[in-house]
Amino acid sequence: MLRSVITLFSCAVLAACSTAPIGDIPERRATGPAVELPPMASFTAASPGAPTRPNTEMARDFLDLSFEMESGRPIPVLSRFEGAVTVALRPGAGPSSMSRDLDQLLTRIRNEARINITRVPHGGPTASITIQTLPRSQMQRAVPHAACFVVPRVSSWDEFRAARRSPATLDWTTLETRQRAAIFIPSDVSPQEVRDCLHEEVAQALGPLNDLYRLPDSVFNDDNFNTVLTGFDMLILRAYYDPALSSGMSRRQVANRLPAVFNRLNPAGRGGGSAGTEAPNREWISAIETALGGSTSSNARVAAAERAVAIAASSGWQDVRLGFSHFALARLTLPRDPDVSLVHFIAAGANFRQIGPNSIQTAHINMQLAAFSLTGGDADQALTLVNQALPTARLAENATLLSTLLMLKAEALELQGRVSEAAAVRLDSLAWARYGFGRDEAVRDRLTEVASLSPQNRS
């Protein structure tokens, strides 16, 4: 429901002249190379894979996502829009790609989740879901820890501000049937961040309101590895709007009908799996949020990440929570002790590869390890790691990760003396970087930072 600013350090790599990670250096860096940027690249037809877990586990995840808030508060009944759903985009600032990305998202929801959802012009009858952009600073004065968010029973920022004086108005747990919802997205961020907000907030305006860290293949997860709706997400939404369910049903009523719903919608998922539930570990969640938040000291964040690793290990977890704990600790120890950081990146990678060798989590680890390899002058290993990760980054439609991988590849190729190939790959990386990072200055800064990893540039 609320896309957190506690984001992944998704494209951070080692800086050249120190061990500080990209994105964590507060001072302004030198201007990037004077390169002419190509037109912005963009993704077209998405092709997410189908969910692979059994329907018993799909039903368990559906219930945990749909009948509890992120805070742990129970949701007494299922609530959804009944009938056709309309979406309106209020005129305002934002990247030129926003309207196209919204249309592509709604097309996917119609085709994959089979929800009757259409876009309507703003200014006509009040839409079911209204999307409004505002400067990030204005949004965060009202909701400090949100990068974007969705609220019920309102259709504009002014209505939202007025409703804050009556908190019950904005309480999702008091809904039985959804009538209106408003999504607020920052207008002054990159095209990819706007698109990511559209995917997560439209999905939660329609369906589940919870996030679960244990899910490896979903945007309903605050680790933010997945940034566009996956096959799992579309199946969850399709079940959410199945005719067998309706607004006002209790958890028990929904649970009784879900096996038949999922067996009909997902025949490949019949049989096997465990329907057992596991309450969220609030101590681990608190440790992760402290580790990835920006409101405490560096020492406190590292200590919190160490607690998260210890809790995950002592709990015997083998899912992505274990890998994510190591990943967070690796990122936080990178500026102070690269050797320790590398140990935890490798541990995270071992966990992620066991769950999914070609997962988006594994691609992020490959990017980090490729940066280490390039810094050490091992161009062959850097290329192997990058080439393994590139197809996943494209499939996941993650332009920030894709562009950084391509920049690393260009530097590795140049280190091998393959200068013309490097130039072509670098040009491709810049087109994706314009979508992923937005501002030209941010694109050039990332290019400079990645280039500085190469030993030949450092010398």
Side-chain angles (χ1 to χ4, degrees):
M1 180 175 53
L2 178 152
R3 188 172 180 82
S4 173
V5 294
I6 303 174
T7 58
L8 290 177
F9 306 95
S10 58
C11 288
V13 290
L14 292 175
C17 299
S18 72
T19 56
I22 285 179
D24 285 358
I25 305 174
E27 69 270 13
R28 189 179 188 279
R29 292 174 293 279
T31 303
V35 294
E36 183 177 349
L37 299 182
M40 182 177 73
S42 60
F43 298 99
T44 53
S47 54
T52 56
R53 48 188 165 287
N55 287 339
T56 51
E57 295 179 13
M58 291 294 306
R60 175 200 64 192
D61 294 338
F62 182 102
L63 293 170
D64 289 347
L65 286 169
S66 304
F67 286 93
E68 191 170 297
M69 302 293 291
E70 289 183 64
S71 63
R73 290 178 62 204
I75 298 174
V77 298
L78 185 81
S79 70
R80 68 184 191 185
F81 293 99
E82 297 295 344
V85 182
T86 55
V87 180
L89 177 61
R90 291 175 66 95
S96 59
S97 56
M98 183 177 186
S99 181
R100 181 197 66 232
D101 285 341
L102 175 59
D103 287 339
Q104 289 180 350
L105 170 60
L106 298 184
T107 298
R108 282 195 59 200
I109 292 173
R110 283 193 300 273
N111 293 341
E112 297 173 42
R114 311 291 174 85
I115 296 173
N116 181 10
I117 187 169
T118 56
R119 183 171 170 183
V120 296
H122 176 70
T126 301
S128 310
I129 300 170
T130 303
I131 302 167
Q132 184 171 355
T133 57
L134 306 102
R136 171 172 273 178
S137 59
Q138 182 179 353
M139 288 177 52
Q140 293 186 349
R141 282 195 295 270
V143 186
H145 299 294
C148 47
F149 58 96
V150 57
V151 292
R153 297 189 174 105
V154 303
S155 297
S156 71
W157 183 255
D158 290 341
E159 278 191 89
F160 165 68
R161 292 184 63 196
R164 292 177 71 209
R165 293 191 287 268
S166 303
T169 302
L170 304 175
D171 188 350
W172 288 95
T173 67
T174 63
L175 285 175
E176 183 165 309
T177 301
R178 302 182 193 184
Q179 303 289 343
R180 293 189 297 150
I183 294 171
F184 302 111
I185 296 176
S187 57
D188 46 1
V189 296
S190 72
Q192 177 166 314
E193 186 166 348
V194 169
R195 183 217 55 195
D196 295 352
C197 283
L198 286 172
H199 277 247
E200 181 167 348
E201 305 309 333
V202 169
Q204 295 198 301
L206 289 168
L209 300 166
N210 196 8
D211 285 308
L212 299 172
Y213 277 104
R214 71 171 185 256
L215 301 178
D217 54 351
S218 175
V219 300
F220 297 110
N221 186 331
D222 272 338
D223 67 11
N224 292 347
F225 273 117
N226 291 283
T227 56
V228 299
L229 292 175
T230 66
F232 170 89
D233 299 326
M234 289 298 186
L235 181 55
I236 289 288
L237 287 175
R238 188 176 176 187
Y240 208 91
Y241 281 81
D242 190 86
L245 307 182
S246 62
S247 292
M249 294 179 68
S250 69
R251 179 174 181 133
R252 177 173 293 180
Q253 289 174 316
V254 172
N256 288 338
R257 298 194 182 187
L258 278 182
V261 169
F262 277 112
N263 285 339
R264 174 165 37 82
L265 299 182
N266 186 40
R270 290 173 180 265
S274 169
T277 60
E278 176 189 345
N281 187 309
R282 295 292 165 187
E283 184 183 1
W284 180 85
I285 292 174
S286 176
I288 281 291
E289 289 178 347
T290 299
L292 300 184
S295 58
T296 57
S297 68
S298 174
N299 287 341
R301 293 170 69 192
V302 169
E306 290 172 339
R307 284 199 306 277
V309 170
I311 293 168
S314 64
S315 300
W317 295 341
Q318 293 300 313
D319 57 36
V320 288
R321 291 173 295 179
L322 175 62
F324 187 53
S325 301
H326 282 291
F327 182 84
L329 183 54
R331 288 294 302 112
L332 290 167
T333 54
L334 183 55
R336 59 175 67 183
D337 195 334
D339 291 336
V340 169
S341 174
L342 180 58
V343 167
H344 287 286
F345 276 131
I346 292 172
N351 172 259
F352 292 151
R353 286 185 179 87
Q354 184 177 9
I355 296 167
N358 299 314
S359 67
I360 187 62
Q361 293 89 346
T362 301
H364 277 278
I365 293 297
N366 276 23
M367 183 271 291
Q368 298 284 357
L369 297 181
F372 274 97
S373 297
L374 182 62
T375 302
D378 191 343
D380 291 345
Q381 180 65 9
L383 283 173
T384 297
L385 290 163
V386 166
N387 288 334
Q388 288 173 352
L390 281 172
T392 300
R394 291 183 190 276
L395 186 64
E397 299 188 20
N398 190 324
T400 55
L401 176 61
L402 177 58
S403 61
T404 303
L405 286 167
L406 290 170
M407 290 177 188
L408 287 165
K409 182 173 183 175
E411 294 305 323
L413 289 170
E414 203 159 83
L415 200 58
Q416 291 182 335
R418 299 156 67 181
V419 178
S420 60
E421 289 180 68
V425 170
R426 187 174 292 112
L427 187 64
D428 192 20
S429 77
L430 294 174
W432 289 112
R434 297 196 72 178
Y435 185 82
F437 295 101
R439 295 180 301 106
D440 290 356
E441 181 183 9
V443 173
R444 291 190 172 97
D445 280 351
R446 177 47 56 98
L447 185 64
T448 299
E449 291 162 345
V450 174
S452 66
L453 294 170
S454 175
Q456 66 182 13
N457 294 332
R458 291 204 305 274
S459 62

